[in-house]
Structure formats: structure tokens, C-alpha cells
Amino acid sequence: MSILDNTSTTLRIATAGSVDDGKSTLIGRLLHDTKTVFEDQLAAVAKASRRYGDGETNLALLTDGLRAEREQGITIDVAHRYFATPRRSFIVADTPGHAQYTRNMVTGASTSDVAIVLVDARHGVLDQTRRHSLIASMIGVQAIVLAVNKMDLVEWSEARFHEITAEVRAFVGALAHPVPVTAIPISALLGDNVVEASSNTPWFDGATLLDFLEEFEIHPHVEVGARLHVQRVIRPQGGEHADFRGQAGVVSGGWFRKGDAVTVLPSGLTSTIRALYRWGDEVPEAGPGQAIVVQLDTNVDVARGDALVADAPVAPVVGDDVVVDICWMVERALTPGSRWWFKHGTRSGHATVTSIEHVLDPTTLGQHDTSELLLNDLGRVRLLLSEPIVADPYHVLPETGRLILIDPADHSTAAAGMLHRVGTPA
Amino acid sequence: MSTTMEHAQLSAHLDALTDEAITIIREVATECENPVLLFSGGKDSAVLLHLALLAFAPARLPFPVMHVDTGHNFAEVIDYRDQLVQDWNVRLVVASVQESIDKGRVVEDTGPRASRNRLQSVTLLDALAEHGFDAAFGGGRRDEDKARAKERILSFRDRQGRWDPRQQRPEPWDILNPRIRKGEHLRAFPLSNWTELDIWRYIERHAVPLPDIYLSHTRTVVQRDGMLLAVGGPVVLEPGETAFDAVVRYRTVGDASCTGAVKSTAADVHDVLAEVAAARITERGATRADDTFSESAMEDRKREGYF
């Protein structure tokens, strides 16, 4: 998913779910019970808990770090936390549940391998549970952990747990891109089945949350062949490397090797890799996630925004007519004919909305016609780009299948977009 | 788990963090017109500068580094800074808090506990404006503080240099939005996802030079507010305080008036790694008096334009 790729065993996790379902408390519990909270942090949280009248030490304050969050007892923006057990390193994004902060949830979920969707056992599946599960599946997380929380408040009811689990499985199973769901009955507040197995759920024989996360195997993406969007041309222009010219960027989709033939897109010019460099040293090959410099055999025209592509089983598509699934993240509405800026890989330009294909109802998953997309809407739009991009459908290769839209009026990031189709106008 | 496997896992994790940081540095340096790298002489900025050199090799660093000099530095840190910019052939800009005081831009606190730490924000913002820097790389890490844990990798600052934690731009995936208007600027944090331990592993792997004060030495200190502060320079003994010699090292390097030492016999990077891995107190909690004054000290400073 992220540029922390699957060759690393680091697991990136995001929380998801509705307000007050216990996301921050769960992350606090996970950090606390894995002994990754430092003494001064715990003392500060205990002091703040007394100050805000939370009674016992409120573990949610470990991630709710902004003054406005602590005063209101809510999460406004995503917090990133890091912890490691003897088995694995983790990067955790604790995201907000409020609908108005959905854009921050998207930020946290976008780089995650696994989403932990929390549900309050008393309230069951809510609209935000569905919206967040839908976003997680659109973004392409590899697994959803359904954490049915506050089980202590429903007398550890096995029936209630299965009822909620069945409802979530049915919903996720009906998504365009279903994601495997693993359900765990927990109490984030008391710690049951988070790190330690609970004696309150004798009917549950699955793994605890931490066991699941430690053992989860990140599936490598299918090798479609190496691509690299050129970030910058490295030209020392003097000294002992005066004649050096190389293209810097990040590899995705496969491996480049010294001597490989490459094609420059969109131009179609071809060359051969003379040398590859990573961190200043020459390397024989370079693969997904690696930040490299490519030196070509011939002096072909390659600039920022162009792509270098190895001969590959699946060629990327070059096009300026794209259909994109988007999360709309600003107040200003997206309407047909409206103009935005886009950034895809290292290419930027103008994007004009040709049409809105549909807006998704996150509750029923129905696709409806609409004349505009509003803040927090999920929908599919067709865009005409001012520059062709070298891309893949998102579910073929996420790294080259995603873009953002920027509002030219105030420069805010307006949309996260996942390419459904790339083409050229007829 | 065998230690070999654990080592391979840690190594892969550091590889990925390194690639991520280099990618961010290249992207911001290419998208922005006039970037600068903020360099304090501390371990995080040393790692950041080392990564920046790797990012553009074999070309030279395409932007200068800037030190915001409080005038209350450890002498070893200034010597180290001057040696490093010479050895690594980078251009240094110094922004002086003393000059900001002399020009009346800021008013210095007085008294034995006065610190220039907070004054740095004004000096920093003035220097960014004076040189027309539109992006400043910083060595801030999300694991340092609960407010930093909330910040984006590419973080927007308005015309007054303010951070608004409630109005941050979404930052999906690794696609950075560098668009700003004149007078606004960006802060870029390539080390966002690094921990203190990751920093030391990188220092060990690449033999990054650091000021000597990061390793164990004997120093005359005073115990104040639960910290060991070096006596001399800005720190003057108050009535009832006694100076004594202790075997210490610094876990962070900042303004000498508010940066504490920790008792340590760690004589090399290997010892430091073992010490950091076993630590039960965060680095800022152990060494930064200014962060323990109030619950939201870092958030308040950051809103004003701090690093």
C-alpha cells in the first residue's frame, strides 16, 4: 500500500468506526498492554484524566493529543503512533469517527494494510461503520478486523457478537472490492482480547487482536513490471561527476535490473539501464518502494513527470481521459464542468470534470445519479486531464493508480482518487 | 524469535524509512522554489542532512541549511556545526535570536529560569521571510510529542507562520500537495515516522558524526525541576542550589537553558542504542524543561510557528 512496502514486515494499521466506539481507547490499550507507553507519558495522561474529570486513567488521551480533542473528549485528526513487539513493528493511525472529519480518516487509512473497524456492541452497526468500511475497501486494505467493543456492557453476549459480525460480513461481502473480515469480541477499556485472551469469552476461540496483527501476512502485490515516475533529473554539472545524468524516483510494480531495456512514457523512447543507485551507492537491482537514481545508456529526453517502464507482463496505460472513484473532502461542491488541479505520481496539471457517473449511498451501497458531489461524498467521476498520465487501475497497482485533486481557489486537497479506468478520448 | 530474524526485520524497517525520507526530500525540493533545511546540530537534524545528501548524490545539496542560533548553545555543538558544513560542503545560513532581541523583535525573559527557546519562533519566521524560503525541512518526529503526532508530513503555515491543527490538509498516501500562495510556507518532516531508536540505528549504520555531548562525559550540573542542567552560560545557580560533577550525556540537543542531561555511561553508539532501547522515559520528558511546563506546551509553540 504505502512506500513502506511488503518486503518489510512492518504492519500499518488504521482504526475506523463511529464516534465513541472506542477507537482511541483501543489504541491506548494496545500501547499500554504492549508496554510501549513511557512512564512520563502515562503520568501525564493520568494527570490530564483527573483534570478533564475522566476518573481513572483515560488511555484515549495517549493519542488524543490536541487541546481541542481533550476538552471535547473526541478525536479530530489522525494521530500516528509507533510500537514494536519482539515479533513485529507497527505504525498505527488512530482516526476520527465524526463524519465531518472523514477526510482525516481517509488520510490515516490510505497508507494502512489493515483497518480495525470498531463497533459498540450496544449500538451495533451505524452509518459511520458502513462508510468507514466502504472507504477502507475502496482504499484497498488487505483485511478488516471487526472489533466488537464494549462487550462488558452487553454481558459478554455471544449472540450479540454473532449478530453484529453477520451484519458486517454481509455488508463488506457486497462491496465492489470485498475484504476478508476477522471478528474479535473485546473490551478496549478493560483489555479483554486486546493483548491478553479474556476469560469472559469462553465461547470465543479466535486470536486476540495483537496475536492477529502480529501474525498477519501482508500479501505482496502481483508483479506487473517495474515503473518509476521521475521526480527529478540529477545533474551535478561540475566536479568529478560533471557528465552524470540520472533520473530519481521510487520504484513500484516490480524490479529494475542493470542492463534492462526501458521505455520512457508518454514519449515511447527506449533506452537501456546503464546503472542503478540507491542511497548514493550503485546497486545491481531495485524494487518496490526503493528510492533510486536510474542512469540510462543513451541521452534520451526524460523530464519530471515522465515514467520509466521496464518490459513487463502488464503495461501501464497512457491517457488523459480517466474514470476515478473519489472521496470528496472540501466544502465546495464538485460539479460537471468544474476545474481542479490534479497530482498523479510526479505529474501535475488541470483536471476538468466531464461527468459524475454516480454517488454511492454508504448505507445501501446503491449508486445514484447526482448533479454534484458534496463534502464527504464517495462517488465516481470522469475527468479530462491537461496532461496524459502513465497509470494503472488502482486495484492493479495502487502506487500508480491514485491521484489527488487540489482546489485552485484555496489550494486545499479536495479529493483522494482511485483510478477505475484510464483511456484516451475517442 | 531468533535475533537474526529480529535483526532482519529491524533492518528492513530502517530501509523503508530511509527510502520514504529520501523520497519526501526529493519531492519537496523539486516542487518548491526555495527550500531550506533547518539544522540545530542535534541528532535528528544530522540524520536529516545526511539523508538529504544521499537524496541528490552525486549532485550537491541543492539548498542551504539554516541554524537558528539562540546564543545559548553548547560550545561543542557550534564547533561540530562548523566542521560538518565544511566536511559536507553545504551552505550555512545563521539566524540569530540575539539579533532579534537587539532589533526589538522579541523581548527576552529575565530571571534565572528565562529561556530563549520560545523566542526562536520569531527569529525563524523572520529569517524564512527575509530569505524568501517557501519550504523548511525539519527533523521533527511524530513520536516526540502528542501534538507532533497529529502533524502532516507536509505541513501548511499561513502568512503569520501559524499552524492550525484543526484545518490541516488531508494527506492521502504519499502524494504531497505543495501549493501555497506568496507569503505562506510549508514545513516538511521527512522523519515523521521515525522513532528515537530508528534515529540511532541510522546513526550506527551510516556512522553519522554527532557532537560529543551525545556520549558519556563528566560535567558540572545542577538539579532543577527534575533535570540536570549544565552550570555556566545561561544557567546560573539560584540560592540553595548546589553544583556537582556527574557522568552524563545528552539525549537531545537544544537551547542550553532548558535542555537537561541524563546520567549515562554510554561511551559509544552501541551503548546508546542499548540505553535508548531500555528507556522508560521519553526523550523530551527526560530532557526538556519547557515541555513539562504545561500540558499543551508543544502545541502552543507550534501554533506560533515553532519548529
Side-chain angles (χ1 to χ4, degrees), chain A residues 3-4 8-10 12 35 37-41 48 51-52 63 65-70 72 75-80 82 86-89 101 103-104 107 110-111 231-232 234 236 241 244 248-250 278-280 289-293 304 329 341 343 346 348 394 402-404 406 409 411-413 416-418, chain B residues 1 6 9-10 12-20 22-24 26-27 29-31 54-60 62 142-143 146-147 149-152 163 165-181 184 192-195 205-206 251 279-282 284-286 295-296 299-300 303:
Chain A
I3 59 176
L4 292 179
S8 152
T9 64
T10 302
R12 299 183 74 130
K35 314 264 187 294
V37 182
F38 290 85
E39 287 167 13
D40 56 316
Q41 289 175 321
R51 181 174 160 203
Y52 293 108
T63 56
L66 297 175
R67 199 165 41 205
E69 295 179 323
R70 292 173 161 219
Q72 300 173 69
T75 305
I76 292 172
D77 209 333
V78 56
H80 287 91
Y82 309 85
R87 292 157 80 182
R88 194 169 218 174
S89 298
Y101 303 126
R103 61 177 183 265
N104 298 334
T107 296
S110 66
T111 51
Q231 282 188 293
R232 181 183 182 97
I234 305 277
H241 302 287
F244 185 94
V250 185
R278 184 181 183 210
W279 312 345
Q290 298 186 358
I292 64 164
V293 174
R304 175 175 166 84
M329 307 193 291
W341 289 329
K343 185 171 179 186
T346 55
S348 300
Y394 188 74
R402 58 205 184 197
L403 55 78
I404 59 170
I406 296 168
H411 299 184
S412 56
T413 304
M418 289 141 280
Chain B
M1 174 185 248
E6 197 167 337
Q9 175 207 320
L10 292 174
H13 184 63
L14 187 56
D15 289 355
L17 289 173
T18 304
D19 285 318
E20 180 183 58
I22 286 174
T23 302
I24 293 162
R26 285 174 176 166
E27 188 65 11
T30 308
E31 285 267 30
L54 294 188
F56 303 102
R60 279 187 63 183
R142 286 167 172 162
D143 90 319
K146 57 190 179 302
K150 293 279 171 178
E151 192 162 12
R152 301 284 185 259
W163 178 55
R166 302 194 64 161
Q167 294 296 333
Q168 297 198 85
R169 289 175 178 172
E171 193 166 79
W173 305 293
D174 52 357
I175 310 178
L176 304 176
N177 171 4
R179 303 275 185 161
I180 52 168
R181 284 173 287 212
E184 300 167 342
S192 286
N193 291 324
W194 296 51
T195 64
R205 177 189 273 186
H206 294 278
R251 226 174 128 184
R280 295 306 308 147
I281 308 277
T282 64
R284 294 197 87 88
E295 191 194 334
S296 55
E299 181 180 342
D300 295 342
R303 282 171 178 272

